[in-house]
Amino acid sequence: MPSSQDDHTDSSSDRRSISPAPSLYSFSSSVDGRLMLRQAYGRTLNNQNDTYFLPADNEEHRRLDLQHQIITLALGGLYPAPNLVRRALAPRPGKTPAILDVGTGSGSWAIEMAQQFPHCTVVGVDLAPPRVDGDLPPNCRFEIDDANLGFSHYRESFDVIHARSISSGIRDYPQLLEEFAQALRPGGVVIVGDGDLQLYDQYQQPLAYAEQGTPGFSWITRIFFATYNAMKNRGGNIDCPLMCPTWLRAIDSFTDVGWHKIFIPIGPWRYADQRERVLAEMLREDCLRFISGMGPLLLSEGYLPESVEMMQREAAAELREQRVRVQSRWAFAWAVKKSP
């Protein structure tokens, strides 16, 4: 498994990976860790992008692995629009199909795509190194980069571009979609997906924020509302799940825009079969870990430690004891780049 060590000591935000050189960046040295990662409020965070303020440590990567399993089970596979994806990645003479995973996180999606499509090359890009257990597939590599810097170095290089759960770290999502259009080959497919920080009731209606002591108040809604505002204050485009289909249709080079949404109960308070029960239990565990990781973000926005601790403790208790019936909505959108 090839690797490289970077002894550069400049930690400026415009450092980026040299693409598309095939390398897996290793961060075993203290210099590498200082460049890419930092400690804040008891967790490890990325050192490239102040907009994205969720953890980037092994604990968070385990949560992202769980989230990946949830979405794969909910979609019935690694991606929506399977016919479009398989067509874009079909073997062809003289050219190797290529896949880009933006915000690769733990790297699970990229690795599984490399295994499912061994004739393709897969590149995973993130602000921090992924947690890789064991050997990588030979057709998969990872790079450290900030999607906010654009992808002009990847013009017409990929047949599928996938970006999931990155909106809180993206300052201009419509511009990012424009960058994806430039990085796709004709006939290529872009897939974006994200979960709402807006929570929904058992009837799939949005839950309104309520003050403590008033009807409709819950700690889970309160901490998600606080997290939404904190991410918004940092410049993240966290409303993108609702807007992505519109933004994709506004780009002239895209066609065949599609959209799919999934509601998943947070906890097994409702389920039709064993699959739905497993999904609900997994999502509850994912949300419990997500709540635990909200600390640095909320503290950085001026919340008192005791207030954050109370919100985390009470929201977690509500979920564990199923005192609230809430659902999460995941939205996915895709489009195909027009051929000349």
Side-chain angles (χ1 to χ4, degrees):
M1 183 170 62
S3 64
S4 63
Q5 294 289 334
D6 188 349
D7 294 327
H8 198 286
T9 57
D10 178 13
S11 60
S12 61
S13 61
D14 61 353
R15 284 184 71 253
R16 70 179 313 146
S17 57
I18 301 172
S19 302
S23 62
L24 173 68
Y25 197 101
S26 168
F27 73 117
S28 59
S29 75
S30 60
V31 171
D32 295 330
R34 191 165 62 247
L35 285 173
M36 292 184 287
L37 302 171
R38 57 178 160 166
Q39 299 297 314
Y41 305 103
R43 297 292 295 267
T44 301
L45 282 73
N46 87 85
N47 200 29
Q48 316 291 318
N49 177 339
D50 281 335
T51 304
Y52 188 82
F53 218 74
L54 291 176
D57 48 24
N58 284 342
E59 184 178 346
E60 174 68 1
H61 282 164
R62 284 190 289 270
R63 184 188 75 82
L64 293 175
D65 281 339
L66 175 61
Q67 185 183 91
H68 169 69
Q69 295 169 24
I70 293 166
I71 299 306
T72 302
L73 181 58
L75 288 175
L78 291 172
Y79 39 82
N83 291 338
L84 296 179
V85 172
R86 291 170 190 149
R87 184 179 68 189
L89 297 178
R92 66 203 70 173
K95 184 165 285 189
T96 301
I99 302 165
L100 177 65
D101 185 26
V102 180
T104 195
S106 65
S108 293
W109 189 88
I111 291 170
E112 290 184 27
M113 286 294 286
Q115 293 167 340
Q116 188 172 126
F117 296 95
H119 64 285
C120 299
T121 61
V122 182
V123 180
V125 173
D126 208 303
L127 294 164
R131 182 178 64 90
V132 179
D133 296 325
D135 294 334
L136 279 177
N139 57 327
C140 181
R141 72 178 190 268
F142 293 105
E143 296 184 351
I144 309 304
D145 215 339
D146 184 352
N148 290 290
L149 300 177
F151 292 95
S152 59
H153 55 305
Y154 269 150
R155 186 177 179 85
E156 293 196 356
S157 296
F158 295 98
D159 300 280
V160 168
I161 296 178
H162 174 265
R164 191 173 70 198
S165 300
I166 67 170
S167 60
S168 65
I170 301 301
R171 293 185 284 272
D172 188 343
Y173 212 101
Q175 177 58 37
L176 180 66
L177 295 178
E178 293 275 6
E179 295 282 345
F180 288 168
Q182 294 297 317
L184 277 173
R185 294 167 178 161
V189 180
V190 60
I191 301 169
V192 294
D194 226 311
D196 275 342
L197 281 174
Q198 167 70 61
L199 296 175
Y200 295 81
D201 66 16
Q202 58 189 317
Y203 306 108
Q204 300 183 357
Q205 297 302 306
L207 284 167
Y209 175 78
E211 293 288 346
Q212 188 176 1
T214 63
F217 171 80
S218 70
W219 287 101
I220 184 65
T221 302
R222 178 168 181 174
I223 197 169
F224 268 66
F225 183 80
T227 300
Y228 171 92
N229 283 332
M231 289 178 173
K232 195 94 169 174
N233 289 342
R234 283 189 166 271
N237 267 185
I238 54 175
D239 294 316
C240 82
L242 297 173
M243 296 302 301
C244 276
T246 300
W247 292 337
L248 287 169
R249 291 188 185 100
I251 299 174
D252 289 340
S253 57
F254 280 141
T255 186
D256 296 333
V257 175
W259 188 63
H260 178 57
K261 64 182 178 181
I262 304 170
F263 286 91
I264 307 174
I266 304 177
W269 50 264
R270 176 188 63 77
Y271 54 90
D273 52 34
Q274 183 62 20
R275 173 183 167 277
E276 286 195 4
R277 178 175 186 134
V278 169
L279 270 174
E281 290 177 338
M282 291 171 70
L283 185 58
R284 176 171 60 181
E285 179 60 30
D286 176 69
C287 283
L288 289 170
R289 298 182 190 183
F290 182 52
I291 290 168
S292 176
M294 291 175 182
L297 173 66
L298 296 176
L299 291 168
S300 74
E301 289 295 300
Y303 284 88
L304 295 175
E306 53 267 31
S307 297
V308 173
E309 183 181 346
M310 176 179 286
M311 284 192 289
Q312 290 176 314
R313 182 181 66 249
E314 296 298 330
E318 285 181 344
L319 291 182
R320 289 193 181 99
E321 298 167 14
Q322 293 187 195
R323 283 190 259 142
V324 291
R325 295 190 168 192
V326 293
Q327 301 190 75
S328 174
R329 187 183 76 165
W330 281 80
F332 299 86
W334 57 87
V336 177
K337 185 173 181 178
K338 296 175 183 176
S339 297

